[in-house]
Amino acid sequence: MVKYIGKRIIYMFITMFLIATTTFFLMQTLPGSPIASYSKLNDTQKKIVEKKYGIDKPAPVQYAIYMKNLAKGDLGTSFAFKGKSVNDLLASRIKPSFILGAQAMVFGTLVGILLGMLAALRQNTFWDYGSTFMAILGSSIPSFVFASLLQYYVASQWHLLPVGLWNDGWQSSVLPSLALAMGPLALSARFIRTEMIEVMSSDYITLAKAKGANKFEIAFKHAFRNALIPLITVLGPVAAGLVTGSLVVEKIFAIPGIGEQFVSSIMVNDFATIMGTTLFFSAFLIVVIFIVDILYGVIDPRIRLAGGKA
Amino acid sequence: MKNTKWLLLLAMTLVLSIFLAACGGSDDKDNASKDDDSKKDDSATETPKKEDGEPDAEQILNLAESAAIPSVDSAIVEDAVGFNVLNNVNEGLYRLNEENIAEPAMAAEEATESEDGLTYTFKLRDAKWSDGTPVTADDFVFAWQRAIDPATGSPYGPFMMSGTVKNATAISEGKMDKKELGIVAKDEKTLEVTLERPVPYFLSLMSFGTFYPQKEEFVTEKGDAYATNSDNLLYNGPFTLTEWDGTGGSWKYVKNDHYWDADNVKLTEINVNVVQDSATAVNLYQDGKLDRAGVSGDLAMQYQDDPEAVTQAETSVFYFKFNQQKGGKETPLANVNIRKAIAKSFQKEDLADVVLANGSIPANFLVPKDFAYDENKKDFRELSGDHLEYNAEEAKEFWKKGLDELGVDSLELEILGGDTELSKKMDEYFKSQLETNLEGLKIKLKEVPFAVRLELDSSQDYDIQVSGWGPDFQDPISFLDLFVTDGTNNLMSYSNKEYDQLIADSKGDLALKPEERYEAFAKAEKILLEDDAAIAPIYQRGLIFLEKPYFKGLVSHPFGADYSYKWAYISGKE
């Protein structure tokens, strides 16, 4: 197990290195330069600014400098937010995105699992149709539609929660989290239902039933655990996507998150911020995938992580 | 089984009803807002009104900005939000007043101007920074030198000072020491500025953010951290900035008790949040979380007749740029008749009223309306008249003549525009108008993000481009200077010696002859538009806002910063 984890960590670093390299050179192919918008600068100034940000050097040299700084954890200086380090920028923007994503993930998954189980255990009943219906809604309607509907009805019309902004404490996070939660909710409900139905008809469940195990025991102790594995596989990337920010939902609720920052940095060719955000997203995703793999072993001991020797 | 079918039907009905509710959302919203309005009207008549204009006891305002603040360093600021913040937390020698006329601010009285128009002497008033120390002449000298120093990378320093303040050009090119800049502190309260040439609009420049003072000791002490958050700044304006962390989506303005004119500042606090989505802004406004909200896109059309809607005229003018040379070769747009044909072939009224529907007005000019005035306070527009009005018949004649001269019977041209919803809608309109009116013309649309457009513009890789300009100071030359041969915004190979000469004269011989100078501008505008059709004006931009009736005294400016909150107040909210 330790050997497996060690190997995976090395792979993670290699992956990060490859992502950083690819992103760096892809960005060089973007039209325009970070100072393209500095249209009022004269040539002398342009040269000085280019030197200041190190973009006067050939791409390979820039790359070497960037990687050296990256190794020290320095993501560089933003072009758009004058003089601000990308580290600071990410730090200040990530919190709201993280809170929303985490809440959406926890709520969406828990409710989704509940609905899915209910549907599977009460197949072809009102509960089954109801939760299937929710799943269809959640997966077919994009989160921004939910966001607009929630904002309009719950906040604007019924005045139950804030319309937007990030200054009403936890209340500010409820509606955006709900809007974001519909995706994972639908996904979990669908997966759990399908898997549970399949597992419930397998031999070992029949055996458990024959042995006199009660319904609750069968559902949670025997079936649920097996049904969870495929769900975890798909939820990993979903979690990374959610926690690292949803551009549209953040925009609709006027939340100063990382999603909006990422898109606007691309718009103005803010190289350092684009790189920083991409690396942050990637690192998050890689870590989530790693955790998912570890979780497999925890949930189902039959899955051997270290090539059958563990 | 029967039960199952019923349940299925019920589920489907539910789905349908949710979809219908979603689709009907905007109508409901419209009705709801109208209902709200009627309620407001009722309540207004029921409750006894306070004496008109009397300020409330509580003076807290809630506003939205469309973007975060990239910087509040007066030498570095280059965006609308940054200049707006600067204008409300700092102050220069002059400030635009409620009538948008530059009046002494940090200067105690009107500046003395030498007879040749080259030297201005300013006496400073007793004003303080927010740390209680006095604002001195040295603070201006330091700030200006810092803004012109090429090492600072100031986008506006050289742009505003080159060719205006003595030695600015040489310093910005790194050929001279910044200490040689034409600004000297005669004593702690006296400032002398020497110009390169007489600049008739120089005093209005003094209200522009780049010319604000900075306290050397503070800036040096903070180093790289200067102006990166609200604690690392000093303020000498009506408000101080608080709770700004440098990147976040919210901040506050708090009344600055050290401000020299604090007695006339009524607002005690302004909460600002970044709200990018227009629908969200409107919802926040309806919910009472915002006292003013910008309305754009389709919402603008929906709200244009709302009793709380206010239209604000801007001084940005949008026009087609016709590129006459691409890749070293002449384009069909090098032909003046082709340019005139296109310039006259689209209906501007419909565009402004129906497509844009945001208070924009059709433009048959380059220098906007309600912007620049001559000695007799007459709008420059009255002096210069209309050019390149829509006329399909004339357009067709020019088109035929142009095609004959080129020896072709059809042309394919590309319109380069933005990738926003509104830009796309507008481009579609142009395509349909141009192709309908000009037989044999095929228009291709290229809609790209702003950064790409800048790139294509600077490499002159386009046929026709929808471009726009907002002025940085109050003078027609802010617009007309763009199109001199090799001008900064020319980038379309337009060149006319007579035009160049008129612009040069306005800066030289005519600088101290206001009447003749304005005549020269009118002549230049006629050459640019009527004779050469170098560009084709489209519209002067307007904006629609929803504004609470109790929000009074907001001053919007035609150039530089967008707003002054100095005179704003709340009356009748309670």
Side-chain angles (χ1 to χ4, degrees), chain A residues 1-19 286-287 290 294:
Chain A
M1 186 75 171
V2 176
K3 199 177 154 197
Y4 172 79
I5 291 177
K7 220 160 99 184
R8 280 296 301 266
I9 290 176
I10 295 172
Y11 284 153
M12 278 159 72
F13 275 102
I14 297 174
T15 315
M16 279 308 290
F17 171 77
L18 290 176
I19 290 172
I286 289 171
V287 170
F290 174 65
I294 301 284

Side-chain angles (χ1 to χ4, degrees), chain B residues 155-205:
Chain B
Y156 266 93
F159 179 74
M160 296 300 277
M161 292 188 214
S162 290
T164 301
V165 181
K166 197 180 166 194
N167 297 336
T169 313
I171 300 168
S172 74
E173 285 167 357
K175 293 173 188 155
M176 199 184 263
D177 190 83
K178 62 181 178 187
K179 297 248 179 308
E180 303 294 319
L181 187 69
I183 176 166
V184 184
K186 286 282 171 198
D187 58 52
E188 205 175 74
K189 292 281 170 205
T190 315
L191 198 61
E192 192 180 274
V193 179
T194 315
L195 304 186
E196 201 104 311
R197 60 183 169 93
V199 180
Y201 50 88
F202 180 69
L203 290 177
S204 90
L205 287 185

Side-chain angles (χ1 to χ4, degrees), chain B residues 93 106 109 112 120-125 135-141 183-193:
Chain B
L93 292 165
M106 281 295 110
E109 58 205 49
T112 10
Y120 284 82
T121 310
F122 299 91
K123 283 274 176 209
L124 298 192
R125 71 168 70 247
V135 178
T136 65
D138 282 328
D139 298 339
F140 284 90
V141 177
I183 176 166
V184 184
K186 286 282 171 198
D187 58 52
E188 205 175 74
K189 292 281 170 205
T190 315
L191 198 61
E192 192 180 274
V193 179

Side-chain angles (χ1 to χ4, degrees), chain B residues 297-574:
Chain B
D298 292 338
L299 278 175
M301 205 181 287
Q302 193 179 320
Y303 280 97
Q304 59 185 342
D305 298 323
D306 192 289
E308 287 180 11
V310 288
T311 319
Q312 184 183 313
E314 281 205 315
T315 44
S316 296
V317 174
F318 290 76
Y319 44 81
F320 280 143
K321 272 172 81 168
F322 296 130
N323 187 17
Q324 303 189 24
Q325 224 176 56
K326 200 164 149 185
K329 276 192 203 149
E330 271 195 355
T331 68
L333 294 160
N335 183 294
V336 66
N337 288 313
I338 295 288
R339 295 199 299 269
K340 281 185 183 171
I342 296 175
K344 285 179 154 282
S345 64
F346 57 94
Q347 241 279 17
K348 301 176 198 182
E349 266 82 10
D350 286 353
L351 177 83
D353 298 344
V354 183
V355 182
L356 298 169
N358 56 2
S360 297
I361 54 167
N364 295 311
F365 45 76
L366 172 64
V367 180
K369 263 186 182 165
D370 303 324
F371 165 63
Y373 307 89
D374 69 2
E375 285 282 280
N376 309 315
K377 305 267 177 265
K378 211 157 114 191
D379 194 320
F380 176 72
R381 289 275 36 97
E382 288 178 44
L383 200 76
S384 182
D386 280 348
H387 310 283
L388 294 178
E389 283 163 289
Y390 166 70
N391 187 328
E393 290 316 307
E394 274 180 43
K396 281 175 188 153
E397 280 169 34
F398 282 125
W399 183 245
K400 201 172 165 301
K401 219 165 137 192
L403 289 183
D404 286 348
E405 282 165 8
L406 292 173
V408 292
D409 52 14
S410 68
L411 276 180
E412 187 180 282
L413 295 168
E414 190 180 79
I415 293 183
L416 173 65
D419 63 346
T420 63
E421 215 178 296
L422 193 67
S423 300
K424 288 180 180 172
K425 231 163 83 179
M426 214 162 61
D427 291 349
E428 288 293 340
Y429 178 80
F430 293 137
K431 181 179 163 68
S432 111
Q433 287 271 299
L434 265 54
E435 285 182 351
T436 313
N437 285 334
L438 306 176
E439 209 188 316
L441 174 64
K442 173 116 187 55
I443 293 285
K444 257 175 54 186
L445 300 178
K446 188 169 182 174
E447 286 141 351
V448 297
F450 188 62
V452 179
R453 198 143 64 82
L454 283 176
E455 183 76 6
L456 294 172
D457 184 48
S458 60
S459 56
Q460 246 176 276
D461 187 8
Y462 66 93
D463 293 331
I464 304 172
Q465 187 185 166
V466 183
S467 196
W469 187 257
D472 294 310
F473 50 88
Q474 199 168 15
D475 194 81
I477 201 154
S478 188
F479 285 87
L480 294 166
D481 211 12
L482 300 172
F483 300 102
V484 294
T485 307
D486 299 326
T488 47
N489 205 41
N490 191 323
L491 299 172
M492 54 185 194
S493 298
Y494 169 68
S495 177
N496 182 315
K497 282 197 179 108
E498 198 187 346
Y499 182 82
D500 292 350
Q501 191 55 51
L502 284 165
I503 301 301
D505 287 348
S506 78
K507 296 178 184 175
D509 296 349
L510 304 180
L512 297 177
K513 299 172 188 157
E515 215 165 298
E516 288 167 55
R517 189 166 169 270
Y518 263 59
E519 274 165 21
F521 284 147
K523 213 168 155 192
E525 197 186 45
K526 186 182 166 290
I527 293 174
L528 182 78
L529 302 179
E530 200 72 55
D531 301 353
D532 288 347
I535 56 167
I538 307 170
Y539 67 96
Q540 180 175 344
R541 189 165 63 185
L543 297 169
I544 289 188
F545 286 90
L546 290 174
E547 193 179 272
K548 299 283 186 196
Y550 54 72
F551 180 13
K552 319 249 186 213
L554 178 72
V555 178
S556 67
H557 301 304
F559 64 98
D562 290 332
Y563 300 105
S564 277
Y565 305 127
K566 178 177 169 175
W567 300 280
Y569 62 100
I570 292 167
S571 169
K573 187 179 180 182
E574 292 149 350

Side-chain angles (χ1 to χ4, degrees), chain A residues 114-247:
Chain A
L114 257 168
L115 285 176
M117 284 182 75
L118 215 61
L121 297 175
R122 301 253 186 281
Q123 221 180 325
N124 293 332
T125 64
F126 172 79
W127 296 105
D128 187 12
Y129 296 124
S131 75
T132 310
F133 167 64
M134 285 291 284
I136 294 171
L137 269 192
S139 50
S140 56
I141 302 178
S143 59
F144 66 84
V145 176
F146 285 116
S148 304
L149 287 174
L150 287 171
Q151 185 182 60
Y152 182 65
Y153 287 105
V154 183
S156 242
Q157 295 295 301
W158 307 331
H159 304 286
L160 297 176
L161 285 159
V163 172
L165 306 181
W166 192 243
N167 47 17
D168 286 309
W170 65 271
Q171 294 184 6
S172 299
S173 71
V174 178
L175 292 185
S177 296
L178 274 182
L180 282 174
M182 290 309 281
L185 187 149
L187 196 74
S188 324
R190 258 183 24 223
F191 263 86
I192 289 290
R193 181 183 180 274
T194 319
E195 288 300 314
M196 283 284 277
I197 289 174
E198 206 183 309
V199 173
M200 289 295 278
S201 61
S202 55
D203 293 344
Y204 76 98
I205 299 288
T206 319
L207 179 71
K209 276 183 187 164
K211 276 184 164 182
N214 65 33
K215 269 189 166 179
F216 184 83
E217 221 179 336
I218 290 171
F220 283 93
K221 209 171 158 192
H222 301 289
F224 178 60
R225 203 163 167 167
N226 277 331
L228 213 55
I229 292 171
L231 178 68
I232 286 176
T233 315
V234 292
L235 276 183
V238 173
L242 275 183
V243 172
T244 46
S246 155
L247 163 73

Side-chain angles (χ1 to χ4, degrees), chain B residues 17-211:
Chain B
S17 64
I18 287 190
F19 270 109
L20 287 175
C23 298
S26 61
D27 286 345
D28 291 352
K29 197 183 254 178
D30 201 20
N31 291 336
S33 79
K34 276 176 194 154
D35 287 347
D36 280 356
D37 295 332
S38 57
K39 272 176 218 154
K40 269 170 214 145
D41 286 346
D42 290 347
S43 62
T45 45
E46 276 164 24
T47 41
K49 264 187 101 181
K50 278 180 109 173
E51 200 174 310
D52 208 27
E54 191 189 324
D56 289 0
E58 194 183 73
Q59 291 290 328
I60 300 174
L61 194 65
N62 297 297
L63 297 175
E65 276 283 10
S66 57
I69 312 174
S71 176
V72 193
D73 180 344
S74 62
I76 298 295
V77 172
E78 60 170 339
D79 68 300
V81 180
F83 277 121
N84 202 32
V85 175
L86 259 190
N87 180 49
N88 289 295
V89 301
N90 283 101
E91 193 164 89
L93 292 165
Y94 275 59
R95 169 181 282 279
L96 291 187
N97 67 13
E98 289 142 289
E99 276 81 46
N100 281 312
I101 292 162
E103 64 179 16
M106 281 295 110
E109 58 205 49
E110 287 289 350
T112 10
E113 185 187 342
S114 65
E115 223 164 82
D116 58 4
L118 289 178
T119 313
Y120 284 82
T121 310
F122 299 91
K123 283 274 176 209
L124 298 192
R125 71 168 70 247
D126 290 326
K128 281 180 181 162
W129 288 105
S130 48
D131 64 356
T133 56
V135 178
T136 65
D138 282 328
D139 298 339
F140 284 90
V141 177
F142 171 73
W144 290 28
Q145 286 180 355
R146 188 163 169 266
I148 198 66
D149 185 351
T152 311
S154 165
Y156 266 93
F159 179 74
M160 296 300 277
M161 292 188 214
S162 290
T164 301
V165 181
K166 197 180 166 194
N167 297 336
T169 313
I171 300 168
S172 74
E173 285 167 357
K175 293 173 188 155
M176 199 184 263
D177 190 83
K178 62 181 178 187
K179 297 248 179 308
E180 303 294 319
L181 187 69
I183 176 166
V184 184
K186 286 282 171 198
D187 58 52
E188 205 175 74
K189 292 281 170 205
T190 315
L191 198 61
E192 192 180 274
V193 179
T194 315
L195 304 186
E196 201 104 311
R197 60 183 169 93
V199 180
Y201 50 88
F202 180 69
L203 290 177
S204 90
L205 287 185
M206 292 300 94
S207 65
F208 196 78
T210 313
F211 295 99

